[in-house]
Structures are given as structure tokens and as C-alpha cells.
Amino acid sequence: MKRALFRSIVSIVAAATAWVQIAPAQVMRTESSGISGERIRAHVKFLASDLLEGRGVGTRGGDLASEYIATQFALDGLKPAGDNGTYFQNFTLVGSDPQPATSLSVTASHVTLPFGWLDDFVGVTFQQKPTVDIDADAVFVGHGIVAPEYQWDDYQGVDVHGKVVVLFTGEPPSRDPKFFNGAALTYYGRWTYKYEEAARHGAAGAIIVHTMPTASYGWNVVRSSWSKEELEMKLGPGTPAVGFAGWVTKEAGERIAATQNTTADQWLQLADTRGFRAKPLPLRFRIHAAAKIRELRTRNVIGKVEGSDPQLKNEAVMFSAHWDHLGVGEAVRGDAIYNGAQDNATGCGVLLELARAWAALPQKPRRSALFISVAAEEAGLLGSEYYGKHPVIAAGKTALALNYDSLPPLGRTSDVQVHGAERTTIYSVVAEAARRFHLAISPDPRPLAGTYYRSDHFSFARVGIPAFSIDSGHDLVGQPHGTADRLADEYNEAHYHQPSDEYHDSWDFSGMELYARFGFAINHEAANLPKLPTWQTADEFLAARVASGVR
Ligand SMILES: [Zn+2]
């Protein structure tokens, strides 16, 4: 009874002031939820073991990992929220493995420029077919962006149907927060968006001219990630997809630009300038895209704890963490199992511990809570994308999604990263929770790199749900400043996406326990708020939120 009373007082205060006061009893209740770093350790140790063979999607190890998570949900008393009364949400992926028979040439009047596979260009068909042949005219479309909210349309006045578009990744440079979100990269700047937009305009192919400033990484990264199998969601009937999604090197771009008596840099300058108009190019692109195609089945794991309010239990808060990693691959120093201990057995361990603690709450919050372990994150956020398009509880009835991905096992920090939270109306709740946990909120050190778009929370934001990841901070308690960043750099250099991302008994799970408690407190608040949170005015995800029915 007392608890219920406190909750209604909280609601009244929140409604009256649009600011959430935390009643002391509630603080105690959410923070003494028994979340344990040692229980997180037990999950991580199992999920990262060699027995699970790197948890690849469509493999036995991946199936075992998702089965384990479902079993834990069942033991904790979560309700199955997947297909047909199970914990699993099944879906089909298609693998397209580009073959060296893939070819590209460009003809300008009488000269034909050949380009070499991997050295000059990479690419694969997005049409999920073993071969696609293109023989088409080309159009230079700048950054290939259609962004009505910034009055920017690179496709205006040009018909690219059946043609090859040539473009740069990235977006027009900006320091104005109202223009492409200032210095930070928006989704319009990501290469995935370029191919989607080109397909929407009916382009046969889309070729990105690589440059360091627009991509923020070198050709070696493009080359290695585009010369292996690409997993994509199986295309629905009538879904547009480009016949060839490719990249050329800066040098190859220069050779193409030279046929027009210009340079790639001049093209980029045009692309960056307001008022840019797409330019049809008097060039013929001949492309043969060859790929090995296969289908595989995988699944998200979804459990639910029902809310206590008869109405609001139809709405939800979400926690997520991807279970997949890279499976068994090329051996490095005799080890071919990509265990993915940090990436992302840690997030799964946190998710499972959150699920256990939430299900054990004597008094459930008003909204329901969904615990979602998504598949195929490593292949490009595919499991979360599938959930976004096939939600268990509609996006417009989901208050907040908190994601955990790749938490360093280094102990507690005095700060935390919640990039994207500041763009939502839930930020006051996040800031208040951070204050209570004595966590400073650190800003994104690399906004230009577009890190926000690289984990599963982004798939939820795309359908409008306020969403962000809770990431470890920079300052380890009791260690000299800079230690955490140095160790993070070491991890990225030596262990990120390597077989050596393995579990060690020396790992310290106290940080993960802290970030789990912090996220628990935030979603506990979000599950009781009178009003659904949304995105701030002019945010790129606000339109999706409004379209989902949240005003
Ligand atoms: Zn990863």
C-alpha cells in the first residue's frame, strides 16, 4: 500500500512539474534489486566459452546461445513474447558472398577504364541473386541525400531510374546544430542510407567514391569488410534494392572524374555546397556482380514481465543486447573461435541479470518490460531492425529502449556514456539517475564517427522509440585518468572482432553491475511516467515518433 501511495505521489509531482522527483522509498526499492556482477560473470563465462563456437547466426553455437537465453528467461518467470507462444522471434537472412568474377568498367566516349577487384573497387548486389549485369548511364548525385527537414535534395530534378549513381558518403559539413545536426554525423551520412535512398529512386547501381574525410576510415577497412559474405534481411516482394552496391578508391574516383576534366575533390566541393544539382555524366558503367547466395534462419529472444497497471501494461520499456558474434572463422595463432566475450556476452549477461531482477520485483512498475536479445547485430543490426519492423508492443506504445553492447570488464568508472539520451525528453530522468549513482555523464568523444548509428538502439530509434546504449565511462575508480581509454584502445587493436576476445577469470564485473543498476533505475522510472517520452524538437527521429502516434 505504501508503495502504491508513493507511486501516485510521484505521478502527481511528475504531471504537475514535468520533472520527476524520486521518492526515497522508490530509490531504495530500485537500487536494492540485488543485481549482481558475479551472476553477470557466470552468464558471460558460459556464453563466451568455446563450446558456443562464437555464437554465429545460423550455426549450432548461435542456436545454443539463444536457447540458453530463452531458458534463463523461463527460469526467471518471464513470459514468452516471441512467435506462437515461444521466446523466439524467427526470421530469414540471405547471405551474399561477392565473387572475384565481379567486374566494373567505365567507358567515356572512346576510352574504357577497367578497374581491379579489391584494389580499385569492391561491391556486391543487394538483390540477393547470383548474378546481376548492369550496362547503364551514370549520374553524379553528390552525397545522395534527400532531407526535407534541412531543405536538401540531391536527387532533385534528375531521373536516375535504371542508372548508376556516383556519390560520396558522409554529409554536407556543418557547425550549425539545425543543419545536419552540426558536426555530428546523422544517418544521412552513413553508407547504408546511400544505398537505400538510391534504391528508392530506382537506381540500378550506386557507387561511393571513397575519401578519408567522408568515410572516416581507410580503404583497407572498406576492402576487408566488402570482400566477404554480407548478410541481409530477406527482401520482401517488391522491396527496392540496388543491383550493385559498390565503392571505388579515391584514385579510381580521380580517373573517373578526369574523364570530365575535373577532380574528385572538386566533385566533393560541389556535393558539400548548398544548391547542389545532380549531374548526368556522359559515361557508361558496365558492371557484372557475381555472388554466392544462401538463406539462413535465425532468431531474436524475447521475454516479457507484465506491468501492474491494467491500461499501461499494454505499453512497455525495453532492454536489449545482441547475442550473436562472428562464429568460427579464419584462425589467428591457432584459434578459430571468435568468442565475443566482451562483444557481446557482457551485454547478454547484463540483460539476463536485469530480467531476473525485474521479474523478482515484488511490486511491478505500471508498464510492461521487454527483454530482447537480438540476433545478427554484427551483420548490420539486422535482428533489431527486424524487431523494429515486427514489434511485440508497438513503437508508439514503447516508452524507452536501453541497449548494452560490449562492456569492458575493468571495474567501476566515475562516469558513464549515454550518447543520444540528451536528444530525448527522458534526459532529466537519466541525469537524475546518474546523479544518484554518482556517475558523471561523459560527452561523445567522436561525434563525427557516427557511433550512435552502430549499435542496436539505432534500429529502435528509427521507428521512433527513444533509445540509447549505456556504455562504460572513461575514468576508472582508483586508477590514473586515461587508464580506461588506454585499455579500450588496447582492446580495439588486439582483441576487437578477434578470436582473442575471450573471457578471463581476472575480469572485474563491478562496472557492469553498476551500469545494470543504473539502467534498471532509468527504465523503472520510464515504466511509471505518466507520459511517453519522445525526441527533442528538430531531432531526426522525432518524425518517426510522431508517426507512431506519440505527440
Ligand atoms: Zn561486434
Side-chain angles (χ1 to χ4, degrees), residues 133-471:
D133 285 284
I134 297 168
D135 184 348
D137 292 339
V139 182
F140 173 56
V141 294
H143 286 289
I145 293 172
V146 180
E149 67 274 44
Y150 305 129
Q151 294 89 49
W152 193 279
D153 185 354
D154 287 329
Y155 284 91
Q156 194 184 321
V158 66
D159 180 11
V160 302
H161 212 267
K163 296 177 183 166
V164 171
V165 294
V166 177
L167 65 154
F168 293 101
T169 192
E171 61 196 12
S174 167
R175 289 202 192 131
D176 175 2
K178 293 202 180 73
F179 184 62
F180 288 100
N181 199 19
L185 195 72
T186 70
Y187 184 60
Y188 293 116
R190 299 274 294 144
W191 59 260
T192 42
Y193 165 80
K194 311 296 176 184
Y195 299 125
E196 290 162 8
E197 193 62 53
R200 281 193 284 271
H201 289 270
I207 293 179
I208 296 171
V209 178
H210 173 261
T211 73
M212 269 308 287
T214 53
S216 86
Y217 40 77
W219 178 254
N220 59 329
V221 174
V222 179
R223 177 189 167 125
S224 65
S225 54
W226 285 75
S227 53
K228 54 184 187 236
E229 184 187 57
E230 168 85 3
L231 291 180
E232 288 291 341
M233 206 67 75
K234 186 175 178 164
L235 286 177
T239 309
V242 287
F244 186 71
W247 292 71
V248 296
T249 60
K250 173 90 188 294
E251 292 68 33
E254 292 294 5
R255 286 162 64 200
I256 297 169
T259 65
Q260 306 306 304
N261 301 314
T262 183
T263 66
D265 288 327
Q266 278 169 329
W267 268 354
L268 180 56
Q269 211 163 24
L270 288 175
D272 284 346
T273 307
R274 178 168 282 289
F276 167 82
R277 285 285 170 271
K279 279 184 178 316
L281 301 171
L283 298 173
R284 200 79 190 162
F285 276 65
R286 287 192 183 86
I287 301 166
H288 175 70
K292 270 191 195 144
I293 304 294
R294 67 173 177 131
E295 278 195 6
L296 51 134
R297 300 277 291 160
T298 189
R299 55 199 188 175
N300 295 330
V301 193
I302 312 177
K304 179 167 132 182
V305 178
E306 215 147 75
S308 56
D309 184 287
Q311 298 296 302
L312 287 184
K313 72 176 188 183
N314 300 315
E315 299 182 349
V317 295
M318 279 166 58
F319 291 100
S320 62
H322 76 87
W323 59 255
D324 64 296
H325 196 58
L326 305 173
V328 176
E330 210 176 305
V332 179
R333 276 175 243 100
D335 184 1
I337 299 174
Y338 288 67
N339 304 75
Q342 179 169 328
D343 181 12
N344 184 32
T346 55
C348 294
V350 166
L351 180 77
L352 288 173
E353 183 58 354
L354 284 165
R356 186 200 60 74
W358 198 287
L361 282 172
Q363 171 69 41
K364 304 292 185 285
R366 297 162 71 193
R367 292 192 176 85
S368 296
L370 290 170
F371 296 84
I372 310 182
S373 193
V374 293
E377 185 273 351
E378 303 289 5
L381 319 183
L382 299 179
S384 53
E385 179 188 334
Y386 188 85
Y387 180 85
K389 289 175 178 161
H390 306 88
V392 167
I393 289 182
K397 290 191 178 296
T398 303
L400 178 64
L402 297 179
N403 185 58
Y404 289 89
D405 192 353
S406 207
L407 299 156
L410 303 171
R412 285 170 174 249
T413 49
S414 57
D415 61 327
V416 67
Q417 302 184 73
V418 288
H419 308 320
E422 74 286 354
R423 294 162 58 174
T424 71
T425 61
I426 197 81
Y427 191 64
S428 57
V429 169
V430 177
E432 173 59 22
R435 195 192 57 73
R436 278 189 287 125
F437 283 93
H438 308 289
L439 287 163
I441 294 176
S442 288
D444 189 347
R446 298 177 64 220
L448 286 168
T451 40
Y452 185 81
Y453 308 97
R454 293 180 188 185
S455 193
D456 291 304
H457 58 259
F458 168 56
S459 296
F460 308 135
R462 286 185 90 175
V463 294
I465 302 168
F468 57 93
S469 284
I470 294 178
D471 288 320

Side-chain angles (χ1 to χ4, degrees), residues 87-98:
Y87 290 101
F88 300 116
Q89 183 178 51
N90 301 282
F91 57 96
T92 304
L93 299 176
V94 173
S96 306
D97 189 4

